[in-house]
Amino acid sequence: MLPNTGKLAGCTLFITGASRGIGKAIALKAAKDGANIVIAAKTAEPHPTLSGTIYTAAAEIEAAGGKALPCVVNVREEQQIINAVEEAVKTFGGIDILVNNASAISLTGTLETETKKVNLMMDVNVRGTYLTSKTCLPHLRKSKNPHILNLSPPMNLNPMWFKNHCAYTISKYGMSMCVLGMAEEFRGEVAVNALWPKTAIHTAAMDMLGGSGIEKQCRKTDIIADAAYCILTKPKSFTGNFIIDETLLREEGVKDFDVYAIAPGHPLMPDFFLDLETDMIGRKQEGYGGSQAVKEEKKLSESHQEGSESAAATLLSPVAETFRVIQGAITEEYVRTTQGIFQFELSGDEGGTWYIDLKTKGGNAGSGKPPLKADVVMSMSSTDFVKMFTGKLKPTLAFMTGKLRIKGNMALAIKLEKMLTQLNSKL
């Protein structure tokens, strides 16, 4: 792990969403230097399912060696931001660093995303980041080495990252556009950068998205905290960068990344917006129309399309065989513990509609529509379906990379993933 240097001693950090997760990890790292931390977050009372409040975070920060100012802030409310900034300046004499960490997520398609969810993501991710930056900037400009750090990705315009969760992608890229614009607008005065993890990070949000067991595919929040610390201790001339955590830490001399893993040695899940086939870890945003690697990948995909289609014709047996094995493996225990009907819309020569019924007595699986309305509808290619059911493609990874689209009950989809783990040996 990256050692502390003491460079943030006496500095004041205003961190949104710092009551738990990544925001709190960054706060604790800075607190070890003796920094002042403004915890700008919503949770003042204990949450029924999420651990931590602004007050429990404050206690941890002070135990780590820092000074804490807990402030109730919903970044959707401009006046709450203004009040917290005024209180921070009154308490600590100024603001040196802003970390825009607060974020909302809904991994749903355009027709499945309720308007209130769209508003939430745009208000928190884009508008909240913009307004908090705007409110802090007059004070940041008075600091000797001011920084704004947004937890947002490089703007990869590969359509894969838009088609399954268009609203979420727009909102996260909105945060990145704040970096692009403000870095240039305040060049020489305030450093403005973006930080994004190379792999999934274990947080409460990831638990909700991925379910039990997902943590083994994740890294700890410590890796983001170390990377953020590295950025925030650089001079303000270091600006306009879109940084990937692991890449930066390797440059800083970190060699052992197992220390950041929840389960050392276990395969890690790549994070959103980073193409698996390309090295999307460049500093500056390459071009304004997306990376050259993405464009080349698209050309390659088009040139091989005919070959892929002809290969799909050989998949008649694998898909049918997969459902035959699933049918034979269904038990009353699976039905009792799952209570869900899954419909698969497969593309390719052996495409069409298939189903797994784990709700009605005895269960069933086969081609055609299920006997009752499906609780979950999954869409993917027949090739990827076979890979997923034979353990060669993890469902979570398939979903994140756009190979799998899910509509309906996400909790049931997670239950099916657990069943797949048990079926892999038979398929």
Side-chain angles (χ1 to χ4, degrees):
M1 290 191 178
L2 195 74
N4 280 61
T5 61
K7 289 182 180 179
L8 295 184
C11 290
T12 298
L13 287 76
F14 190 103
I15 307 177
T16 65
S19 60
R20 62 179 68 90
I22 289 171
K24 189 178 79 170
I26 293 172
L28 290 172
K29 180 73 175 178
K32 291 177 183 177
D33 272 5
N36 308 316
I37 311 295
V38 183
I39 308 160
K42 291 193 305 179
T43 311
E45 299 295 329
H47 191 278
T49 57
L50 300 174
S51 63
T53 68
I54 57 174
Y55 303 111
T56 59
E60 290 182 58
I61 287 164
E62 296 196 342
K67 293 181 180 177
L69 176 63
C71 296
V72 177
V73 176
N74 179 349
V75 294
R76 302 177 79 182
E77 303 294 335
E78 184 178 12
Q79 193 57 51
Q80 290 186 18
I81 298 170
I82 293 170
N83 292 346
V85 168
E86 289 177 351
E87 186 66 22
V89 173
K90 180 181 175 182
T91 304
F92 298 124
I95 295 173
D96 302 291
I97 292 166
L98 165 63
V99 178
N100 285 307
N101 165 71
S103 192
I105 183 170
S106 180
L107 298 176
T108 46
T110 300
L111 298 179
E112 293 74 45
T113 309
E114 297 177 8
T115 301
K116 66 179 182 180
K117 286 285 188 181
V118 177
N119 291 341
L120 175 67
M121 289 187 283
M122 300 304 169
D123 284 354
V124 174
N125 301 354
V126 188
R127 185 174 178 272
T129 293
Y130 185 90
L131 290 179
T132 308
S133 301
K134 178 185 176 183
T135 308
C136 287
L137 270 163
H139 305 286
L140 290 168
R141 294 170 90 177
K142 298 175 185 177
S143 173
K144 291 181 180 179
N145 192 37
H147 280 262
I148 294 176
L149 181 63
N150 292 358
L151 273 295
S152 64
M155 288 180 287
N156 181 353
L157 298 187
N158 185 335
M160 175 179 80
W161 299 115
F162 289 83
K163 69 175 185 177
N164 284 349
H165 38 73
C166 188
Y168 174 64
T169 298
I170 291 169
S171 71
K172 290 306 290 187
Y173 284 10
M175 294 177 71
S176 298
M177 291 174 80
C178 286
V179 171
L180 201 62
M182 293 180 190
E184 198 60 33
E185 184 177 1
F186 299 99
R187 186 173 295 277
E189 293 184 275
V190 180
V192 187
N193 295 289
L195 174 62
W196 194 247
K198 184 175 181 179
T199 72
I201 302 296
H202 185 228
T203 61
M206 184 55 71
D207 278 339
M208 285 189 287
L209 292 171
S212 177
I214 193 70
E215 68 278 0
K216 292 180 181 178
Q217 302 175 53
C218 300
R219 282 175 170 162
K220 303 170 188 174
T221 54
D222 295 339
I223 190 168
I224 288 286
D226 280 2
Y229 182 86
C230 180
I231 295 165
L232 300 175
T233 53
K234 289 184 180 295
K236 63 184 178 182
S237 56
F238 183 81
T239 190
N241 301 293
F242 292 80
I243 300 150
I244 303 302
D245 56 357
E246 181 180 319
T247 307
L248 178 64
L249 292 174
R250 285 191 185 280
E251 290 178 359
E252 294 296 318
V254 176
K255 293 187 172 83
D256 181 10
F257 285 85
D258 278 348
V259 296
Y260 296 117
I262 298 290
H266 196 283
L268 295 167
M269 179 166 47
D271 206 353
F272 288 95
F273 311 117
L274 303 180
D275 293 341
L276 299 181
E277 299 86 353
T278 58
D279 190 5
M280 289 290 294
I281 54 180
R283 280 280 170 73
K284 301 293 180 183
Q285 188 68 38
E286 295 296 337
Y288 302 127
S291 72
Q292 185 62 30
V294 170
K295 295 173 185 174
E296 292 299 327
E297 180 188 355
K298 189 173 182 181
K299 288 180 185 177
L300 187 64
S301 174
E302 289 168 354
S303 68
H304 286 239
Q305 189 170 1
E306 284 189 21
S308 297
E309 288 172 353
S310 63
T314 66
L315 292 176
L316 178 61
S317 177
V319 172
E321 176 65 12
T322 299
F323 275 98
R324 185 192 68 77
V325 174
I326 291 170
Q327 169 69 56
I330 292 174
T331 65
E332 286 293 349
E333 180 65 14
Y334 279 143
V335 174
R336 185 185 65 80
T337 57
T338 306
Q339 284 298 291
I341 295 178
F342 305 86
Q343 181 173 318
F344 297 86
E345 296 296 338
L346 303 182
S347 59
D349 282 357
E350 198 186 356
T353 303
W354 300 74
Y355 72 93
I356 300 174
D357 177 3
L358 295 176
K359 180 180 280 186
T360 58
K361 185 173 177 61
N364 202 357
S367 62
K369 290 197 172 182
L372 299 174
K373 183 179 178 181
D375 299 293
V376 182
V377 178
M378 299 184 176
S379 304
M380 63 194 313
S381 73
S382 52
T383 307
D384 289 329
F385 172 83
V386 173
K387 287 180 180 177
M388 190 171 79
F389 272 79
T390 53
K392 296 175 183 175
L393 176 64
K394 289 184 177 296
T396 307
L397 182 59
F399 177 71
M400 288 184 69
T401 56
K403 294 180 178 180
L404 168 64
R405 294 194 66 177
I406 301 174
K407 295 180 182 179
N409 190 321
M410 287 294 289
L412 279 175
I414 292 165
K415 282 188 177 182
L416 182 65
E417 180 173 3
K418 292 178 182 176
M419 177 185 170
L420 286 185
T421 303
Q422 298 170 359
L423 280 176
N424 284 342
S425 61
K426 301 179 182 179
L427 291 165

